[in-house]
Amino acid sequence: MVKRPTPLRLEEAGLNAVQTQHQLFYDGWVLRLSPGKAKRARSVNAHFGSTLPLDRKLAYCEAAYRANDLPLLFRITPFVHPEALDLALDERGYVAFDRTLVQLAALPRPPEVAAARGRTTLEIECPPVAAFVAAVGAMRRSPPLQQEAHLERLAHTPLAVHAVLALQDGEPVGAGQVALDDGLAGVFDVVTAEPARGRGVATRVVERLLGWAWEHGAAHAYLQVDAGNAAALGVYRPFGFATIYEYNYRGRPGACE
């Protein structure tokens, strides 16, 4: 039996899967400066050691994000350094928002969720990354700058990535992608077009992604989901996903989006 990955390993894989060329390392902190939608790619990840005074580090971060015309956000996980960072930010007026669950599922066999069968007729295709990003952007109504940042991250990732679109009558109604990292599969960008929601599209997409991951050696899969997104949680639960740890963001009032 393959050993279950630790929470720290899941955090490492999540950082690997959402990389950007727009980032800096500063005294153990990773400052991600992508202008895209994903806050993981435009926030401070205080993941490694920290030695400098906190006031100095915060001033550096504020200047870096201001220079890149981005709000300063901190991603607060159980692994932050220094450990008192969350409290220190709270005392400085950074408010907590977007509680997110990191969930894990074992993949002992190819997944199959019977409830998805027969609900809607779909064709699943594997498009080029640019076409995938364009379809996801259209379903999310993302502005061009966010789509460009999304494409930059996917086009330059060193991981094996498998992206799919669900088509109905030739039109994209769902999407998702999975990134493979040493036997651990990360599920990202699962989205359903608004008119097609509630028809099992996301379930079909996730089933296809996890099937590909299993075929390519993944023993476990993980994902990150908004704690308040009941619809998404309902999609993932039948695949065996369960929460391993949580994180949230902190930002100045008015910058929490």
Side-chain angles (χ1 to χ4, degrees):
M1 178 179 293
V2 178
K3 186 177 180 180
R4 191 175 85 162
T6 66
L8 193 59
R9 170 65 180 127
L10 295 181
E11 179 67 10
E12 177 185 76
L15 290 172
N16 284 342
V18 185
Q19 294 192 42
T20 173
Q21 295 179 333
H22 302 279
Q23 67 180 26
L24 298 169
F25 289 88
Y26 182 62
D27 188 45
W29 289 4
V30 184
L31 282 60
R32 291 189 157 170
L33 299 156
S34 171
K37 176 180 174 61
K39 288 184 285 295
R40 296 183 301 276
R42 55 182 175 92
S43 57
V44 177
N45 288 265
H47 186 66
F48 303 103
S50 181
T51 62
L52 296 176
L54 187 57
D55 285 342
R56 176 177 170 184
K57 296 189 73 167
L58 293 180
Y60 180 92
C61 293
E62 288 170 353
Y65 280 78
R66 184 167 56 248
N68 285 272
D69 197 28
L70 291 171
L72 176 55
L73 303 178
F74 289 84
R75 184 168 168 269
I76 304 299
T77 72
F79 318 108
V80 295
H81 294 279
E83 293 181 3
L85 177 61
D86 193 30
L87 178 59
L89 290 173
D90 185 61
E91 292 172 345
R92 288 165 170 79
Y94 288 83
V95 298
F97 70 104
D98 274 13
R99 177 171 162 252
T100 303
L101 311 178
V102 178
Q103 298 196 322
L104 180 71
L107 290 178
R109 63 187 65 84
E112 183 172 343
V113 179
R117 304 299 187 187
R119 297 186 65 178
T120 190
T121 302
L122 296 173
E123 176 186 353
I124 305 294
E125 72 168 21
C126 305
V129 64
F132 173 79
V133 168
V136 170
M139 284 184 273
R140 287 175 170 165
R141 297 184 176 91
S142 302
L145 187 62
Q146 290 186 359
Q147 293 190 43
E148 290 170 10
H150 191 192
L151 178 59
E152 179 258 328
R153 293 195 302 274
L154 286 184
H156 296 287
T157 178
L159 300 178
V161 170
H162 183 67
V164 304
L165 292 178
L167 307 179
Q168 189 169 29
D169 299 325
E171 294 296 321
V173 294
Q177 56 105 348
V178 62
L180 195 59
D181 185 347
D182 191 27
L184 183 57
V187 177
F188 297 93
D189 293 326
V190 176
V191 59
T192 303
E194 190 170 348
R197 290 174 185 170
R199 302 179 187 174
V201 174
T203 297
R204 287 282 301 282
V205 167
V206 173
E207 184 177 44
R208 180 62 65 91
L209 294 177
L210 295 182
W212 180 90
W214 181 85
E215 290 172 359
H216 288 78
H220 293 86
Y222 73 95
L223 51 81
Q224 303 172 19
V225 57
D226 189 304
N229 192 338
L233 290 168
V235 169
Y236 301 140
R237 193 175 299 114
F239 292 98
F241 283 99
T243 300
I244 302 300
Y245 68 95
E246 303 179 6
Y247 67 84
N248 61 262
Y249 293 90
R250 280 197 181 268
R252 295 288 191 187
C256 302
E257 60 180 28

